[in-house]
Amino acid sequence: MTTQREIAASLGLPIHPPKVEIFDLTDRTNTDAKRQVRPVDEYRVEPCGLYMARPMVDHPSLDYLESWLLPELGLRISDYRGRPGHSGNQDFYLDIVRIEPGEHRWRTIDLYLDVAVTQRKEARVLDSDEFVTALRAELLDGDTARRAMDTTHLVVDGLARCDYDLPAWLRTFGIELGWRHAK
């Protein structure tokens, strides 16, 4: 059987299979896309989704990560805190994902497209080149790709209508996110 990575390589495409992450609420760990198991400081399940807060161990410029998994919207919303001397170029990072919630374990599958939000200024769609390459390599089926594009358009259009204010846009869905570190 041919793997997704082998298909991409045979097509000469510099692409990875969709990134998968595991959020284990019982063990309080987050297994990242590179299969590194990271300790989690806090998990919180709310009606809108799952909150996670954890240190960014051994990252050269980032110190801390807070993320919300929002299954109904197909989004992972992250706020990264930089190490001293490193400032980010966005306020929030939105991954377009498929989320599989569970009682003790959640799983995300990254759908390549991302949106970087600078509050009250702009929203930038990122990684469309990866998305197109993954589609060409058949790492995404047509329905999944369409959902990813629809979600991306929903996000960018909604943010524009709310003057690029992410919390204001989320309130249109009745979602109010709480963060460990004050926003």
Side-chain angles (χ1 to χ4, degrees), residues 55-76:
M56 298 285 293
V57 179
D58 298 328
H59 196 283
S61 59
L62 300 175
D63 183 49
Y64 207 80
L65 165 66
E66 295 181 75
S67 286
W68 277 95
L69 307 181
L70 305 176
E72 292 297 317
L73 295 177
L75 292 175
R76 175 181 181 170

Side-chain angles (χ1 to χ4, degrees), residues 131-143:
F131 176 78
V132 170
T133 304
L135 196 53
R136 282 188 55 214
E138 297 179 355
L139 297 175
L140 293 175
D141 63 67
D143 287 341

Side-chain angles (χ1 to χ4, degrees), residues 5-128:
R5 190 175 299 279
E6 290 169 334
I7 292 168
S10 73
L11 295 171
L13 302 173
I15 193 68
H16 56 80
K19 295 176 183 173
V20 175
E21 280 197 55
I22 305 296
F23 303 81
D24 191 314
L25 282 62
T26 304
D27 292 343
R28 290 178 53 123
T29 60
N30 168 223
T31 305
D32 68 20
K34 295 177 183 171
R35 298 189 179 142
Q36 295 291 316
V37 180
R38 309 286 187 186
V40 171
D41 289 341
E42 180 181 355
Y43 273 126
R44 187 169 66 236
V45 178
E46 299 284 343
C48 66
L50 175 69
Y51 170 79
M52 177 195 72
R54 70 168 176 82
M56 298 285 293
V57 179
D58 298 328
H59 196 283
S61 59
L62 300 175
D63 183 49
Y64 207 80
L65 165 66
E66 295 181 75
S67 286
W68 277 95
L69 307 181
L70 305 176
E72 292 297 317
L73 295 177
L75 292 175
R76 175 181 181 170
I77 300 176
S78 296
D79 180 26
Y80 297 93
R81 189 174 69 213
R83 294 192 186 283
H86 295 276
S87 62
N89 55 357
Q90 78 261 333
D91 295 306
F92 297 100
Y93 196 87
L94 285 63
D95 292 281
I96 309 303
V97 293
R98 186 171 80 216
I99 300 170
E100 299 168 356
E103 187 176 341
H104 302 288
R105 185 177 118 150
W106 289 47
R107 182 175 180 250
T108 61
I109 301 167
D110 187 83
L111 302 178
Y112 299 96
L113 293 169
D114 304 305
V115 179
V117 179
T118 304
Q119 272 296 95
R120 295 177 188 82
K121 184 177 177 187
E122 68 179 352
R124 296 180 322 277
V125 176
L126 306 173
D127 300 331
S128 349

